Amino acid sequence: MLQTADGMYTEVESLSYYKGYPKTASTEFANLGTRTASNYYAFRFAGQIDGTQIF
């Protein structure tokens, strides 16, 4: 949970580090030769506009 400059709160979740948000349990992902490119971040976030920390 982060507090914004204007005093509101936001919740951030990191979903993936790989391009296309692949299933990490797959055999394609386990094989380094077929693994998708890294350094592609996927996030899910939600903002709380009433100033509380309850989401």
Side-chain angles (χ1 to χ4, degrees), residues 1 3 10 13 19 24 30 34 44-45 47 52-53:
M1 186 178 309
Q3 187 175 21
T10 186
E13 178 183 8
K19 185 176 184 178
T24 56
T34 59
R44 178 179 12 215
F45 61 93
T52 67
Q53 295 182 17

Side-chain angles (χ1 to χ4, degrees), residues 2 5 12 15 17 26-29 31 33 36 39-40 44 46 52:
L2 304 170
V12 180
L15 299 174
Y17 174 72
S26 70
T27 55
E28 286 183 9
F29 186 82
N31 181 346
T36 58
N39 293 331
Y40 291 84
R44 178 179 12 215
T52 67

